[in-house]
Amino acid sequence: MKKQVLVTGGTGYIGSHTVVELQTNGYEVIIADNLSNSRIEVLEGIKNITGIEPLFEKLDLSIPCEARKIFEKYPNINSIIHFAASKAVGESVGEPLKYYANNLNSLINILSLMREFNVQNIVFSSSCTVYGQPEKLPVTEQTERQEAESPYGNTKTICEDIIRDSVKAYDGINAIALRYFNPIGSHPTAYIGELPNGVPNNLIPFLTQTVIGMREKLSVFGDDYPTKDGSCIRDYINVVDLAKAHVVSIERLIENKQKSRCEYFNIGTGEGYSVLEIINSFEKATGEKVPYEITGRREGDITEIYADTSYANEELGWKAEKSLEDTLASAWEWQKRIVN
């Protein structure tokens, strides 16, 4: 029998790419998603790539009775990858209760049901936001977490603590938290990519929608940061590279290769690029001009962050492989396909 993995938020951007990598590696995938920030058509894109349409359940994991349904229907779930969460930094500043209710309750429900149904392994979708504005770069897994700059970031910190305490208290749960940096790009087939509902909150989909004419211009939030060109710096990782990190993490859990029952890994490239550098790289990779304007700083943004990925490289046997320009070109191919 194939190893059965529950992927919460599996029709989302990172979730869908992870489903593809899991299926490619022989896993049977069940997706649970309420489609609040994704579309059902993603299932067709996954099938076009792998030849397999994943099992899908539309439900809200923040509601206990809804979450229970999936564990009752699929008693052979071996492991869980938990993506499902509200994730827009800016929105979380204005709607903190929405973020705390959704992001914390969904995780608590899943951990409770893991205990009840004897599911041992969970990979948690964490974030470099747990480091806040770090005092020293690059950040390692031992970098002290700072006070979050947004309610979204704070939910990731709290969720990590909930997982840590649960693993400590309950013998049957093992966990890996992957602290992502900034996922960008699309699958090379252009069958799946980043397609948020409504106005994008992330840089690359807003950029590509601007270039293709859906938006008037891209806003660069601030050019007065203490960086090389005044714009914020981030570590941008190809979403397929990121998805592959989840597969090796699941395998590490299943094969009991952990050094401790709750582990943390930085998943990035180890390089920081400014927003203006991303714009220039996109123009170089695609030959397209990006209309943009400099605006005021956005609340909740930090100045600069990028990863030290050596621990993940050594322990997981994983590393980011795709170049920035190839990644940006893939995002543009996806944008052209979904519009044309």
Side-chain angles (χ1 to χ4, degrees):
M1 184 173 62
K2 288 184 178 180
K3 291 167 285 189
Q4 204 171 64
V5 178
L6 170 63
V7 180
T8 74
T11 54
Y13 173 45
I14 306 170
S16 60
H17 286 81
T18 300
V19 170
V20 165
E21 296 303 318
L22 287 166
Q23 290 184 334
T24 301
N25 283 274
Y27 291 88
E28 183 178 39
V29 178
I30 304 145
I31 293 174
D33 203 307
N34 65 1
L35 301 177
S36 62
N37 195 37
S38 61
R39 303 182 185 186
I40 194 67
E41 291 80 9
V42 170
L43 298 178
E44 187 64 27
I46 293 170
K47 184 179 179 181
N48 286 338
I49 297 169
T50 66
I52 305 164
E53 184 168 338
L55 300 165
F56 175 78
E57 301 292 333
K58 183 181 178 183
L59 44 79
D60 188 339
L61 293 164
S62 70
I63 301 171
C65 62
E66 289 278 293
R68 174 173 290 276
K69 291 176 184 177
I70 204 152
F71 286 84
E72 290 177 341
K73 185 171 181 178
Y74 301 98
N76 295 319
I77 292 170
N78 173 273
S79 304
I80 297 170
I81 303 178
H82 182 47
F83 294 106
S86 301
K87 64 173 189 172
V89 170
E91 182 190 46
S92 77
V93 174
E95 293 285 349
L97 293 180
K98 170 185 174 180
Y99 276 68
Y100 288 117
N102 186 44
N103 296 6
L104 302 188
N105 287 336
S106 61
L107 176 64
I108 290 167
N109 290 338
I110 286 167
L111 290 169
S112 298
L113 290 161
M114 285 178 68
R115 292 187 66 209
E116 183 177 342
F117 288 86
N118 196 31
V119 179
Q120 294 185 330
N121 305 317
I122 183 168
V123 174
F124 175 63
S125 165
S126 192
S127 168
C128 64
T129 57
V130 302
Y131 297 118
Q133 179 57 68
E135 296 176 0
K136 183 180 177 181
L137 291 169
V139 293
T140 72
E141 288 80 359
Q142 286 71 47
T143 296
E144 187 175 346
R145 297 183 312 181
Q146 303 287 334
E147 182 176 349
E149 299 287 326
S150 68
Y152 162 74
N154 201 30
T155 66
K156 292 299 184 182
T157 301
I158 296 169
C159 283
E160 282 195 0
D161 291 346
I162 292 170
I163 292 170
R164 178 201 63 204
D165 293 344
S166 297
V167 167
K168 186 176 180 180
Y170 311 126
D171 288 339
I173 297 177
N174 300 295
I176 290 175
L178 299 181
R179 293 170 173 166
Y180 315 157
F181 284 69
N182 286 57
I184 61 172
S186 300
H187 195 271
T189 63
Y191 281 129
I192 56 174
E194 188 170 10
L195 185 61
N197 292 336
V199 179
N201 285 288
N202 292 339
L203 172 61
I204 298 305
F206 203 108
L207 184 156
T208 58
Q209 288 185 14
T210 301
V211 173
I212 213 156
M214 295 172 62
R215 313 281 169 197
E216 182 180 356
K217 60 183 66 174
L218 172 70
S219 293
V220 176
F221 297 110
D223 64 350
D224 58 348
Y225 286 95
T227 61
K228 49 193 167 185
D229 59 23
S231 62
C232 293
I233 290 176
R234 300 288 184 270
D235 185 335
Y236 294 92
I237 180 171
N238 185 285
V239 68
V240 176
D241 284 338
L242 174 60
K244 290 177 178 178
H246 294 79
V247 178
V248 297
S249 296
I250 284 290
E251 290 171 351
R252 183 177 177 88
L253 288 167
I254 290 173
E255 295 170 7
N256 295 313
K257 291 182 176 179
Q258 289 178 278
K259 288 188 172 178
S260 64
R261 290 179 48 230
C262 188
E263 294 184 312
Y264 307 88
F265 295 100
N266 286 338
I267 305 297
T269 66
E271 294 189 44
Y273 293 94
S274 74
V275 175
L276 293 176
E277 284 179 322
I278 292 293
I279 291 171
N280 291 334
S281 295
F282 180 88
E283 291 179 342
K284 183 178 178 182
T286 65
E288 301 288 339
K289 191 69 178 172
V290 180
Y292 72 90
E293 65 177 352
I294 307 296
T295 64
R297 295 187 181 190
R298 180 175 60 178
E299 190 174 2
D301 279 343
I302 62 171
T303 301
E304 180 177 10
I305 192 167
Y306 56 95
D308 180 335
T309 62
S310 56
Y311 187 64
N313 299 156
E314 294 163 10
E315 281 296 316
L316 295 178
W318 166 93
K319 64 181 291 187
E321 297 177 347
K322 298 185 183 297
S323 72
L324 177 62
E325 287 192 8
D326 284 348
T327 300
L328 292 169
S330 74
W332 180 233
E333 290 304 312
W334 160 251
Q335 182 66 70
K336 289 190 293 182
R337 193 186 78 80
I338 59 175
V339 167
N340 299 332

